[in-house]
Amino acid sequence: MIETPRIMLIRHAEKPREGEYGVAIDGSPSPQSLSVVGWQRAGALVRLFVPLPLPSRSPILRPSHVFAAHPTETHPSPRPRETVTPLAQALGLQVDESWSDDDDPARIAAALRDLKGPALVCWRHRSLPVLAEELLQRAEVPRHWPEARFDLVWIVSGDGPRWTFSQLPQQLLPGDRAQSVPRRVPAAGVRR
């Protein structure tokens, strides 16, 4: 069976609200880490990406690769890695932090498109639309990942030379929304 290439994009899980501290993986207070709710989402992602053995027609595939934007001077938070660490552990994979959102999105997209097997990429929300557009090679993704949304999966699937874009609300935690983010409508006749 030939598997369609699939790259699943998520934003890191919830960060602390104004005036709160996050919690590092060892339980110590950390302003750069996930909030308690963020750690709950990180744990819930395991069942989204590694479902119990039930028949499923979900566009989500069990990842063969797990990537997270690595911390930089501009973005020192380890939240992307923290978000996917429970999932990577459940899969027996290492979190690959080869890139950051400071790196060239075209180069990252090219490397992701060449992978064998499904990939999960956990990134920072401001850079996700640019990365998704580079993967898709068309301006059809939403222009912005909303500041308050931690509950979406953007899916870029390859079928020959044409790649498609879809969204799936995670619906893992109370308060998660069932709606996707409005997509950009491409201008007639404009192709990248």
Side-chain angles (χ1 to χ4, degrees), residues 36-50:
V36 171
V37 173
W39 282 108
Q40 290 171 339
R41 181 172 307 283
L45 287 170
V46 174
R47 282 297 151 238
L48 181 64
F49 289 97
V50 187

Side-chain angles (χ1 to χ4, degrees), residues 60-180:
I60 298 293
L61 296 177
R62 182 186 187 113
S64 300
H65 312 275
V66 177
F67 295 91
H70 73 75
T72 65
E73 189 173 317
T74 309
H75 303 285
S77 166
R79 289 182 201 116
R81 176 181 9 92
E82 291 173 342
T83 299
V84 294
T85 292
L87 173 62
Q89 289 173 341
L91 293 168
L93 299 173
Q94 293 292 318
V95 176
D96 188 328
E97 292 183 283
S98 297
W99 307 300
S100 78
D101 47 356
D102 291 341
D103 292 324
D104 176 20
R107 187 176 63 83
I108 297 169
L112 288 170
R113 288 169 60 116
D114 285 342
L115 289 173
K116 302 294 182 220
L120 175 65
V121 178
C122 185
W123 223 242
R124 293 178 179 86
H125 75 287
R126 287 190 179 95
S127 301
L128 275 165
V130 173
L131 180 56
E133 189 173 300
E134 286 293 341
L135 286 165
L136 193 62
Q137 296 291 295
R138 294 185 307 282
E140 291 180 22
V141 303
R143 288 185 189 275
H144 305 284
W145 186 291
E147 176 73 31
R149 296 292 302 266
F150 298 88
D151 59 353
L152 291 167
V153 181
W154 285 1
I155 303 163
V156 181
S157 300
D159 187 13
R162 180 122 173 113
W163 287 69
T164 60
F165 175 79
S166 61
Q167 299 180 65
L168 180 72
Q170 294 175 4
Q171 297 189 289
L172 297 172
L173 300 178
D176 280 7
R177 298 181 201 154
Q179 302 82 20
S180 297

